[in-house]
Amino acid sequence: MELLMPAYIIGGLGIVFGLGLAYASKVFEVKVDEKVMRVREVLPGANCGACGQTGCDGFAEGVVGGTCAANGCPVGGAQVAAQIASIMGVEAASLESKVARVMCNGTFSNCSSKFQYSGIEDCTAAANLFGGPSACSYGCVGMGNCVRACAFGAIVVEHGVAKVIQSKCTSCGKCIQSCPKKIITMVPASNEYAVRCMSPDKGNIVRKNCTAGCIGCAKCSKVCPVNAIKMKGALAEIDPQTCINCGECIKVCPTGSINRYFCEQQSID
Amino acid sequence: MREFIVLVIGAILVENFVVAKFLGICPFLGVSKKLETALGMSGAVIFVMTIASAVTWILNKYLLVTFGLGYLQTIAFILVIAALVQFVEIVLKKFIPPLYRALGIYLPLITTNCAVLGVALINIQREYSFAKSVLYSFGAGLGFTLALVLFAGVRERIEYSDIPESLKGLPITLIAAALVSVSFFGFQGLFSK
């Protein structure tokens, strides 16, 4: 008896706690929709947050709860969207795959520099010094924060400007968060043309800093057959939804700030 | 009253569980990368520590001591802490889902946090009364929070520092942890007995 007492006590405690937990899990049960589990299973599980939810669990709940669209997972793309749609019993709206693009043309040859930077290799740190070493304080700093943020190796820095390799981009949006200049945007992958300049400065200032910046001449917006280009102050903006990739704007752009953005084959400058 | 204040301040600064007693080092290094996660983990630890010490105190006094099984403390307390963390998780999930989501993975991780077991055992060792045990555990949790938050701040700074190649990553983190620990030793003479 003496010998068995410890075993009884510990065993008893174990049983009491076990039963207590089992009882508690029944009493405090939170009903989880079976659909949520199934949706969760087909998701990539990277918990990247590109859908705008807290993670894949949040997204799965959102889809079943009706607050998220079935095609809301940009990483999973059309394939996952179709699977989710079949679970939810709805028709999958075709999800256009998106791709990140760096909206800056300010390579070393295009954009002059204000000073020689020799601090740590970090865009945020460099950008804190007078807006960064490049003459244009709106452009790419080129220290590669986005390169380090990208989990898929889809970004490289060439001639002082980051560029996205389209075939590797999963549109997770991590680079957008990492960029202190906010010059990376997410556009539909089918959209080929972009005004690769984010400087809202007037034409003469832009011209002084960078030979490939948008000077706001508005020639492109006049020539565009579908009116996809709008002037936002002294900066032209192409609406990727309306753009038909005709390429008329490139022909009239005097500075070459509008490019065809297909980076596998084409180098930036 | 004065006694209780000394107890709490002592648990936070003088006997800080992380940097003076070196308990709970795993979460100290593991979740101190960002201030946000550090706060989440700390919240969960304070919560579990306080409740766990209350339950283990009662268990020790009315079960283990009565049957003369003091040597079973460690194993019995681990059992209690594990069950308690599970229970807390279930209850939080039901009643405070936002907190449950905020704590996330850190809640189950506390099961293996030796600081929680440490505080329960120290309470018994020092023969604290029930109120004192609970208060001391709460203070220990606050001390854990302080250490974690301070260290998270240090680590966020390290991110932007120019560090020699060979020290990048874990080595510089450990050096920084040592410095934080040394700085806490300044509190050793706070209360003279």
Side-chain angles (χ1 to χ4, degrees):
Chain A
M1 192 58 202
E2 187 85 354
L3 201 63
L4 284 176
M5 204 56 201
Y8 285 146
I9 296 264
I10 295 295
L13 278 177
I15 290 173
V16 168
F17 287 146
L19 289 178
L21 281 177
Y23 181 69
S25 66
K26 270 275 169 275
V27 173
F28 301 120
E29 192 182 9
V30 182
K31 288 246 183 312
V32 178
D33 198 327
E34 197 200 335
K35 277 181 182 167
V36 175
M37 307 288 286
R38 283 169 61 200
V39 171
R40 176 66 189 80
E41 272 163 29
V42 298
L43 291 172
N47 285 320
C48 64
C51 52
Q53 302 300 313
T54 45
C56 291
D57 286 320
F59 178 71
E61 272 167 38
V63 168
V64 178
T67 49
C68 297
N71 58 8
C73 177
V75 178
Q79 198 193 346
V80 168
Q83 279 173 305
I84 295 174
S86 73
I87 293 170
M88 296 298 293
V90 292
E91 203 69 19
S94 65
L95 174 76
E96 216 174 352
S97 68
K98 291 193 164 184
V99 63
R101 273 166 193 183
V102 183
M103 296 302 195
C104 178
N105 260 335
T107 52
F108 294 137
S109 50
N110 289 338
C111 190
S112 50
S113 62
K114 278 198 290 255
F115 56 88
Q116 190 76 38
Y117 178 78
S118 61
I120 54 168
E121 285 275 308
D122 185 278
C123 295
T124 315
N128 279 338
L129 272 182
F130 311 106
S134 128
C136 171
S137 57
Y138 300 97
C140 181
V141 186
M143 300 280 166
N145 272 17
C146 47
V147 178
R148 288 183 287 275
C150 184
F152 307 96
I155 306 182
V156 288
V157 172
E158 258 184 20
H159 310 291
V161 170
K163 73 170 190 175
V164 179
I165 300 163
Q166 186 156 335
S167 59
K168 289 188 186 168
C169 179
T170 60
S171 67
C172 70
K174 281 269 148 76
C175 49
I176 296 180
Q177 290 163 18
S178 77
C179 179
K181 296 290 187 189
K182 302 289 165 226
I183 52 167
I184 307 180
T185 53
M186 202 62 83
V187 293
S190 57
N191 179 235
E192 293 173 22
Y193 296 91
V195 181
R196 297 198 35 227
C197 179
M198 291 292 260
S199 170
D201 280 341
K202 286 208 177 85
N204 56 341
I205 302 172
V206 173
R207 180 81 90 173
K208 208 168 74 193
N209 292 335
C210 180
T211 54
C214 175
I215 53 172
C217 65
K219 275 185 185 161
C220 50
S221 74
K222 282 172 201 138
V223 81
C224 181
V226 289
N227 283 327
I229 307 181
K230 297 272 178 303
M231 297 305 296
K232 212 172 118 192
L235 185 63
E237 255 188 8
I238 300 180
D239 176 18
Q241 249 74 40
T242 8
C243 177
I244 51 167
N245 296 325
C246 66
E248 289 298 320
C249 44
I250 277 200
K251 293 176 196 157
V252 294
C253 182
T255 59
S257 74
I258 303 184
N259 317 135
R260 202 155 169 229
Y261 198 108
F262 260 118
C263 11
E264 268 96 336
Q265 305 87 9
Q266 205 180 5
S267 182
I268 280 183
D269 47 351
Chain B
M1 191 62 209
R2 187 168 179 277
E3 197 186 357
F4 287 114
I5 295 173
V6 167
L7 192 70
V8 174
I9 304 277
I12 296 174
L13 295 178
V14 185
E15 301 185 310
N16 189 296
F17 265 67
V18 181
V19 294
K21 284 196 185 301
F22 309 119
L23 291 169
I25 298 292
C26 166
F28 180 59
L29 293 176
V31 296
S32 59
K33 260 191 187 147
K34 276 187 186 157
L35 200 58
E36 233 171 89
T37 52
L39 282 173
M41 181 72 185
S42 306
V45 166
I46 294 180
F47 196 60
V48 173
M49 261 189 179
T50 314
I51 298 177
S53 70
V55 176
T56 51
W57 193 89
I58 294 170
L59 180 90
N60 183 63
K61 170 118 187 191
Y62 295 104
L63 204 64
L64 296 184
V65 173
T66 317
F67 290 98
L69 297 172
Y71 60 90
L72 282 180
Q73 269 169 7
T74 309
I75 193 164
F77 288 2
I78 288 177
L79 202 61
V80 170
I81 292 165
L84 204 65
V85 170
Q86 285 296 313
F87 182 72
V88 166
E89 198 178 348
I90 292 169
V91 172
L92 279 187
K93 199 174 181 182
K94 174 80 178 175
F95 294 108
I96 326 173
L99 185 64
Y100 173 76
R101 271 197 293 272
L103 295 180
I105 185 73
Y106 304 120
L107 204 50
L109 270 181
I110 295 171
T111 318
T112 56
N113 187 342
C114 58
V116 180
L117 179 65
V119 78
L121 288 174
I122 286 171
N123 284 334
I124 306 300
Q125 238 172 41
R126 295 191 182 166
E127 295 170 353
Y128 280 153
S129 67
F130 182 76
K132 264 185 155 182
S133 300
V134 173
L135 211 61
Y136 182 73
S137 314
F138 182 68
L142 285 181
F144 182 84
T145 310
L146 180 70
L148 223 64
V149 167
L150 280 181
F151 195 53
V154 172
R155 277 184 89 166
E156 282 185 357
R157 286 230 164 181
I158 289 176
E159 288 275 301
Y160 290 116
S161 312
D162 199 4
I163 299 159
E165 197 62 43
S166 56
L167 289 179
K168 270 183 186 161
L170 202 55
I172 192 73
T173 309
L174 289 177
I175 292 172
L179 290 176
V180 170
S181 175
V182 166
S183 71
F184 265 79
F185 269 76
F187 292 115
Q188 286 301 319
L190 196 60
F191 306 120
S192 52
K193 286 188 178 162

